[in-house]
Amino acid sequence: TWVNTFTNQYTTLSQQHQQLQQTYISQTTQLEQQKIASESELSDIRSLYSQERERERQIFNEERLKYEEEKDQMICNISNLKKVMHDFQNKREQMNDEITALRKELGITMDSWKQDCREKDSYLEKT
């Protein structure tokens, strides 16, 4: 009879509806869990990325500080070298002046000594 057919079809459709509803709920639940897992994984990745960026920034700052210290040390060394060179130049000029004075004095002494020798030679020749 048509009532039995209708009832059977209704029962079949009702069961299919329940299965679809359960499948929908199951898949929705599974997708929600995957979404939560993905969000958690994304959060972990962001955290690792932030940590890595912070580590790189720290390394960069340490390297920059080291470079600045080395640069300052080189500037200090150059300044000290310039001072040493300036002192050396002054000492050299002072020594050149002393050598010139000694040569002049020695020249006068040598000239006097030569003159004395000539006078003695001349005197000895006369006597």
Side-chain angles (χ1 to χ4, degrees):
T1 73
W2 68 268
V3 173
N4 283 342
T5 304
F6 177 78
T7 305
N8 285 341
Q9 284 181 345
Y10 177 79
T11 303
T12 302
L13 285 175
S14 179
Q15 288 173 345
Q16 287 177 345
H17 175 74
Q18 281 181 336
Q19 285 175 345
L20 284 174
Q21 212 171 15
Q22 288 173 350
T23 302
Y24 172 79
I25 290 171
S26 172
Q27 288 180 347
T28 303
T29 303
Q30 187 179 4
L31 286 173
E32 279 294 321
Q33 290 172 346
Q34 288 175 349
K35 178 184 171 193
I36 291 169
S38 294
E39 287 173 349
S40 175
E41 186 177 349
L42 181 60
S43 177
D44 291 347
I45 290 170
R46 285 182 176 147
S47 177
L48 287 172
Y49 177 74
S50 292
Q51 290 172 6
E52 184 62 22
R53 289 220 34 207
E54 177 61 26
R55 189 179 73 79
E56 287 175 356
R57 187 187 65 75
Q58 186 177 3
I59 290 170
F60 174 79
N61 286 339
E62 288 170 1
E63 290 295 320
R64 190 185 76 217
L65 182 62
K66 184 177 163 185
Y67 166 78
E68 289 293 329
E69 289 172 353
E70 288 175 359
K71 183 182 89 172
D72 291 345
Q73 185 62 45
M74 288 177 70
I75 290 171
C76 182
N77 289 347
I78 289 170
S79 177
N80 289 340
L81 183 60
K82 285 180 180 178
K83 183 182 181 308
V84 167
M85 288 174 60
H86 183 262
D87 291 348
F88 176 76
Q89 183 65 27
N90 287 342
K91 186 70 171 175
R92 184 174 165 220
E93 289 172 7
Q94 180 186 357
M95 289 177 70
N96 282 341
D97 291 345
E98 289 175 9
I99 289 170
T100 301
L102 285 172
R103 283 184 177 157
K104 189 173 182 181
E105 184 181 322
L106 185 59
I108 293 170
T109 305
M110 287 296 286
D111 289 343
S112 300
W113 182 73
K114 287 178 186 176
Q115 183 65 33
D116 286 346
C117 287
R118 279 190 227 116
E119 289 174 2
K120 288 179 184 174
D121 287 344
S122 172
Y123 176 74
L124 289 174
E125 288 175 9
K126 292 181 184 176
T127 55

